[in-house]
């Protein structure tokens, strides 16, 4: 618990431009257990230093530890592996936060930051990022050849019934922007991130609530399929909003889709 608080405090202090000595104060004010009305005033600045502003302890300030990696307002960053959080369905974001905390997804820093957070607090974080509506960056050209483009588009829009691979659009929506409450969009994500996540499902390093439909789909795809689909998706323009919930059954059974 103490180590988690220190790590989170240092991250938040870095975002806010605080010195290392104020990291513990930053965490105390950013902790979900600290009441908003108890926000501490900033310490006086030393001569020659810029003054420190007081922390408000609202959710926008508390999630700045997230934006160190995921970019301002959760927009993602150009490094290629940190996904966008802004505008994703809140149920999906909550499921992923739970998965990092509970060990279904593996990332040491995420697990450390989330280890002591309650489901209610994870829902608050998820709801904050889900409500953000910020622009997407322009996509980069795919560089795929004609045959690769056609194969990727066929898998995304038609699937491959011979391998029991449904079309991506059958679950993630015709615009591939996702569906409320818990199916994510596929566009606006870096190619390396998409390859990494499909590979993690193939290898059992990423798991969802059973039945784990994405693990089944990823294992049915070849590594080359994964590469061309991820490259094709990363080159598509993004910006559509997730579709509303649908009563139509999904082509495969997927766990963890409840709000």
């Amino acid at each position: 618990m103490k180590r988690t608080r220190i790590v989170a405090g240092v991250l938040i202090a870095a975002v806010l431009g605080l010195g290392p000595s104020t990291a513990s104060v930053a965490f105390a004010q950013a902790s979900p257990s600290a009441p908003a009305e108890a926000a501490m005033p900033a310490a006086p600045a030393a001569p020659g230093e810029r003054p420190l502003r007081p922390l408000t302890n609202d959710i926008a300030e508390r999630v700045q530890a997230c934006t160190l990696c995921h970019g301002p307002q959760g927009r993602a960053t150009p490094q290629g592996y940190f996904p966008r959080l802004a505008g994703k369905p809140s149920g999906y974001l909550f499921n992923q936060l739970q998965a990092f905390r509970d060990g279904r997804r593996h990332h040491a820093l995420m697990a450390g930051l989330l280890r002591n957070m309650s489901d209610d607090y994870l829902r608050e974080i998820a709801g904050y990022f889900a409500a953000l509506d910020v622009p997407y960056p322009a996509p980069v050209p795919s560089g795929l050849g004609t045959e690769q483009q056609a194969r990727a588009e066929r898998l995304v829009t038609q699937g491959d019934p011979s391998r029991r691979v449904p079309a991506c659009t059958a679950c993630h929506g015709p615009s591939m922007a996702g569906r409320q409450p818990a199916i994510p969009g596929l566009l606006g994500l870096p190619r390396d991130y998409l390859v990494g996540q499909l590979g993690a499902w193939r290898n059992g390093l990423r798991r969802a609530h059973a039945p784990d439909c994405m693990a089944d789909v990823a294992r049915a795809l070849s590594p080359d399929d994964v590469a061309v689909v991820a490259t094709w998706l990363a080159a598509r323009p993004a910006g559509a909003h997730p579709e509303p919930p649908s009563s139509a059954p999904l082509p495969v059974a997927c766990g963890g889709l409840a709000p």
Side-chain angles (χ1 to χ4, degrees):
M1 176 68 171
K2 186 179 295 184
R3 182 177 180 180
T4 301
R5 287 176 176 242
I6 292 171
V7 170
V10 171
L11 284 172
I12 297 168
V15 173
L16 300 178
L18 308 179
S21 64
T22 58
S24 58
V25 174
F27 180 79
Q29 296 181 47
S31 168
S33 63
E37 63 269 20
M40 300 173 64
E49 293 184 359
R50 65 177 181 175
L52 302 178
R53 63 180 177 82
L55 302 180
T56 61
N57 195 33
D58 61 14
I59 185 64
E61 195 152 67
R62 282 184 266 136
V63 299
Q64 288 191 61
C66 309
T67 62
L68 263 178
C69 295
H70 291 276
Q73 297 179 293
R75 297 172 183 238
T77 57
Q79 281 79 8
Y81 200 73
F82 298 105
R84 180 184 176 97
L85 304 178
K88 293 287 182 67
S90 60
Y92 171 77
L93 293 175
F94 171 68
N95 283 345
Q96 302 318 303
L97 290 169
Q98 263 197 333
F100 282 119
R101 185 194 65 187
D102 299 343
R104 290 186 299 277
R105 293 186 69 173
H106 301 283
H107 191 284
L109 179 57
M110 288 292 295
L113 289 172
L114 301 173
R115 183 175 296 122
N116 298 297
M117 293 186 183
S118 68
D119 282 354
D120 286 344
Y121 191 53
L122 297 186
R123 285 192 181 93
E124 186 179 359
I125 295 172
Y128 170 79
F129 283 110
L132 296 178
D133 187 7
V134 293
Y136 282 78
V140 297
S142 72
L144 294 175
T146 302
E147 189 278 330
Q148 292 175 314
Q149 289 266 14
R151 179 152 60 100
E153 186 170 359
R154 186 167 58 250
L155 285 168
V156 170
T157 61
Q158 301 175 33
D160 186 346
S162 68
R163 291 184 282 172
R164 302 183 68 180
V165 173
C168 302
T169 53
C171 296
H172 295 270
S175 65
M176 293 172 286
R179 186 181 298 279
Q180 298 288 0
I183 299 178
L186 300 179
L187 304 183
L189 292 166
R191 175 193 179 277
D192 290 349
Y193 176 79
L194 291 168
V195 169
Q197 298 316 301
L198 288 167
W201 265 307
R202 280 174 54 84
N203 298 323
L205 297 177
R206 177 174 177 177
R207 306 188 306 279
H209 293 289
D212 192 346
C213 55
M214 278 305 305
D216 294 336
V217 169
R219 291 187 191 111
L221 297 172
S222 70
D224 195 47
D225 290 333
V226 169
V228 297
V229 165
T231 303
W232 188 85
L233 289 171
R236 304 289 295 175
H241 293 87
E243 297 182 19
S246 173
S247 59
L250 297 176
V252 289
C254 291
L257 296 185

